Amino acid sequence: MLFKRYGGASAEVLQMEYEDFLELLEYAMKQSTEEWIKERWVNGYQNTSLDEFKEAIGYRNNGIIEEKSINDILGDLAKQF
């Protein structure tokens, strides 16, 4: 997703500290979700406000990435692979 949005800066993204990378990833995911919601709203739901539409579909803008410990993340990855 980051390379799709920021394709020209892929080398810089790969060299980032992981905290900065996660922050940028969360920002990109939030922006992508906002764009998708606006497109969906424009395609037939303009009889309500954008905020009412977001509330109706249950969208919450309170962060996308949940906090997990590194051990929990590594454990989840080990289960998948």
Side-chain angles (χ1 to χ4, degrees):
M1 176 184 320
L2 285 175
F3 297 132
K4 180 179 171 187
R5 290 186 69 86
Y6 310 108
S10 59
E12 289 82 4
V13 169
L14 291 173
Q15 293 176 357
M16 295 177 107
E17 295 291 326
Y18 74 92
E19 292 97 355
D20 295 333
F21 174 77
L22 289 178
E23 187 177 314
L24 184 60
L25 180 62
E26 185 173 357
Y27 175 79
M29 290 173 63
K30 193 178 291 185
Q31 292 303 314
S32 178
T33 302
E34 286 283 336
E35 289 174 10
W36 178 80
I37 288 173
K38 287 177 185 174
E39 287 176 15
R40 189 171 165 194
W41 175 71
V42 166
N43 288 323
Y45 294 96
Q46 291 115 359
N47 56 343
T48 63
S49 72
L50 181 58
D51 291 331
E52 290 172 343
F53 177 71
K54 287 179 180 180
E55 186 177 323
I57 63 171
Y59 175 69
R60 292 175 193 83
N61 193 6
N62 59 359
I64 296 171
I65 299 175
E66 64 183 80
E67 281 194 34
K68 282 187 168 182
S69 71
I70 292 176
N71 290 333
D72 290 341
I73 293 170
L74 291 175
D76 291 345
L77 288 173
K79 290 176 190 174
Q80 289 181 356
F81 298 104

